[in-house]
Amino acid sequence: MARDSFKSRLGILAAAAGSAIGLGNIWRFPHITGTNGGGAFLIVYLVCIVLIGLPIMISEFIIGRSTKKNAIGAFRELAPKTPWSIIGWMGLLCAVVILSFYGVVAGWCMHYVSNSITNSFAGKSVTELSNMFTSLISSNWLPIIWQLLFMAITGYIVAAGIKNGIEKYSKILMPLMFLLIIILDIRALTLDNAMEGINFLFKPKFNELTLDAVFLALGHAFFTLSLGMGTMLTYGSYINDGENLKSTAVNVSIADTVIALLAGIAIFPAVFSYGIKPDTGAGLAFISLPLVFEQMPFGNIFGILFFSLLAVAALTSSISILEVIVAYFTEEFNMSRTKVTVFSTLFVSIIGILCSLSNGILKEYTIFGMTFMNFMEYLSANILLPLGGLLICLFVGYYMDKKIIKDQLRNKGSISSISSTFLVIFLLLVKFISPIAILIVFLKGINLI
Ligand code: TRP
């Protein structure tokens, strides 16, 4: 059977941008920008996207498309009988790790959609909203039921394949996500004092731009583009030979950044307008924002839209993570896609259940002082992803045949617009700049510097 692939250019963009745009764009980026220098941070962040994010995304695409194989198979083909395939193995492990807790958080989002429908935030104080959240995440059954539902939807889409599953649904979900965010932006910008939130986000505060902020920007640029674990590599393997890899990577990065900014514009004007302290991460989404929604006219409708936005953003990311696992088993063991998808979804869900319970009855069982779920987050974001990204740079920069790189970037000569200068800069980045930058972030992330 011919290998499945993406059908259209728009489909590739929707799927790859769908992977990149996730919870990180909506609840992490706006907050770290606001508290680390606003516009000043933004400049550093954009530089990191261009200098670190883009070259690695292009590298992953090159590895994937030149071999048309899964994350492990690709390294086995390009570097037979060498230890380089460890990059693929780490990617596979990281996919299991990230997906297990992503499913749990996405489940919370779905529960909050239902909370908004039933108007459950009405009249509650911050403390009550905070208790409501804690009691959800620590209960035994409720979050697991939502998590399993989310995982089942993820599995359903992935089982249908690339063209008829991932591409088809990304082309529906991405415009939906865009629409949701635009409605929320318009609502936020028309509130009193909206400018205060905009200032928080965009006004350059160079005094807040510390060295730590620069590292934060670097780490986030990397995470937000879903790099370092073979996701873009696997998607790259489904990109047809006629597509331009460089412009695909540029477009995905632009889409990712634009959505992150629009998310900030949807959130902070609303939060400031109601005089609420801007929190970060789960606290921002599940406590501060419900406090906004309960005071806003028709707030429960905006609540439904916002939590649906989170769930959709999580879904287009989770399908790309599951695909890393499914592609490996179907190709290397010649197994049926449906069977592999069912088993891997079940396997990841079981680990996810442990993550969920680690916020409740399994709280006492800690690893290096972290609950199981926090440990999974730490392991992926601070160790596996940066290490994977570092090795991918070194692989492309030092090991891989330069002819393959050139052929992939120029589509064997049919794209003449890729100049030699670009090639030189690209190699300079993957050989020296990106590995050094990632190494610093990695050492910082594990508290060694
Ligand atoms: N990019 C996702 C976000 O911004 C998170 C993420 C990191 C991810 N690595 C990934 C998603 C791999 C899919 C695949 O939230």
Side-chain angles (χ1 to χ4, degrees):
M1 212 179 80
R3 200 170 182 268
D4 205 352
S5 66
F6 289 117
K7 194 167 57 188
S8 68
R9 186 165 298 171
L10 207 66
I12 299 169
L13 280 183
S19 169
I21 300 167
L23 300 172
N25 296 58
I26 301 171
W27 77 28
R28 188 154 184 270
F29 172 81
H31 186 268
I32 57 175
T33 304
T35 48
N36 287 285
F41 180 86
L42 209 57
I43 298 169
V44 177
Y45 173 77
L46 292 176
V47 171
C48 295
I49 291 276
V50 174
L51 293 189
I52 319 293
L54 266 177
I56 304 180
M57 193 184 296
I58 295 176
S59 301
E60 290 205 25
F61 281 162
I62 290 177
I63 298 171
R65 193 174 68 172
S66 61
T67 56
K68 305 252 183 335
K69 290 228 160 78
N70 62 81
I72 294 167
F75 288 103
R76 280 197 185 140
E77 179 174 319
L78 290 171
K81 302 204 177 66
T82 63
W84 284 109
S85 57
I86 184 111
I87 304 177
W89 288 107
M90 274 174 26
L92 203 68
L93 172 66
C94 193
V96 174
V97 170
I98 295 193
L99 193 51
S100 65
F101 69 79
Y102 229 74
V104 176
V105 178
W108 300 344
C109 300
M110 287 165 74
H111 179 70
Y112 268 60
V113 174
S114 93
N115 271 347
S116 308
I117 294 175
T118 54
N119 213 354
S120 319
F121 311 133
K124 291 208 165 60
S125 65
V126 190
T127 326
E128 283 168 325
L129 285 170
S130 156
N131 290 341
M132 186 170 152
F133 178 59
T134 318
S135 96
L136 165 72
I137 68 171
S138 61
S139 63
N140 288 342
W141 288 105
L142 195 57
I144 292 176
I145 292 170
W146 284 110
Q147 177 220 344
L148 294 180
L149 177 64
F150 177 84
M151 292 302 297
I153 303 173
T154 305
Y156 175 82
I157 297 178
V158 171
I162 305 306
K163 266 193 207 71
N164 300 324
I166 296 181
E167 178 167 5
K168 180 174 140 195
Y169 288 96
S170 301
K171 274 163 88 177
I172 303 170
L173 293 170
M174 295 308 284
L176 172 69
M177 194 170 89
F178 193 66
L179 180 73
L180 289 171
I181 213 163
I182 293 291
I183 300 175
L184 290 163
D185 276 341
I186 295 175
R187 170 65 283 201
L189 288 174
T190 46
L191 291 165
D192 291 340
N193 282 333
M195 273 329 276
E196 206 182 321
I198 297 292
N199 280 339
F200 172 71
L201 198 58
F202 291 110
K203 199 169 153 205
K205 293 159 277 187
F206 285 96
N207 58 325
E208 281 179 7
L209 191 66
T210 58
L211 197 57
D212 278 354
V214 174
F215 292 136
L216 202 61
L218 238 162
H220 187 73
F222 189 74
F223 179 84
T224 190
L225 294 177
S226 305
L227 302 172
M229 57 166 276
T231 314
M232 291 300 171
L233 187 161
T234 307
Y235 272 12
S237 75
Y238 303 122
I239 298 181
N240 289 324
D241 286 332
E243 297 295 331
N244 184 333
L245 295 182
K246 178 183 134 207
S247 29
T248 307
V250 170
N251 289 336
V252 171
S253 311
I254 293 177
D256 185 78
T257 308
V258 168
I259 294 287
L261 294 175
L262 289 178
I265 298 175
I267 294 172
F268 289 113
V271 169
F272 279 93
S273 171
Y274 288 97
I276 292 159
K277 181 176 92 32
D279 200 345
T280 179
L284 173 68
F286 296 107
I287 301 166
S288 310
L289 284 170
L291 201 60
V292 169
F293 296 136
E294 69 172 342
Q295 297 172 58
M296 196 183 259
F298 302 106
N300 57 335
I301 297 193
F302 292 105
I304 297 172
L305 299 182
F306 178 76
F307 290 109
S308 304
L309 169 71
L310 281 183
V312 171
L315 183 60
T316 51
S317 297
S318 69
I319 52 181
S320 73
I321 310 178
L322 186 58
E323 180 57 31
V324 172
I325 309 172
V326 170
Y328 170 69
F329 284 101
T330 41
E331 283 174 21
E332 303 290 315
F333 299 95
N334 235 335
M335 287 157 75
S336 104
R337 190 172 176 91
T338 318
K339 253 194 224 142
V340 172
T341 311
V342 171
F343 282 120
S344 16
T345 308
L346 280 176
F347 179 71
V348 173
S349 301
I350 292 170
I351 303 183
I353 290 175
L354 292 177
C355 283
S356 183
L357 293 175
S358 76
N359 296 312
I361 50 167
L362 300 183
K363 218 184 182 115
E364 309 306 318
Y365 297 91
T366 55
I367 306 173
F368 302 118
M370 293 173 261
T371 63
F372 185 60
M373 180 149 155
N374 288 341
F375 175 70
M376 296 302 250
E377 285 184 56
Y378 181 84
L379 179 64
S380 53
N382 294 0
I383 297 176
L384 294 172
L385 288 180
L387 213 51
L390 179 65
L391 292 174
I392 289 172
C393 289
L394 298 178
F395 181 78
V396 171
Y398 295 95
Y399 185 88
M400 206 172 161
D401 185 353
K402 301 293 169 287
K403 178 159 178 346
I404 303 181
I405 301 176
K406 272 189 209 148
D407 278 351
Q408 284 301 321
L409 284 172
R410 291 190 168 143
N411 291 0
K412 303 210 167 89
S414 64
I415 308 177
S416 47
S417 65
I418 307 262
S419 62
S420 318
T421 327
F422 174 79
L423 282 172
V424 172
I425 296 176
F426 172 73
L427 285 174
L428 206 71
L429 289 172
V430 287
K431 275 190 156 153
F432 307 107
I433 313 286
S434 313
I436 293 172
I438 300 175
L439 190 67
I440 296 173
V441 174
F442 174 60
L443 295 177
K444 252 208 94 76
I446 54 175
N447 283 333
L448 279 183
I449 49 171

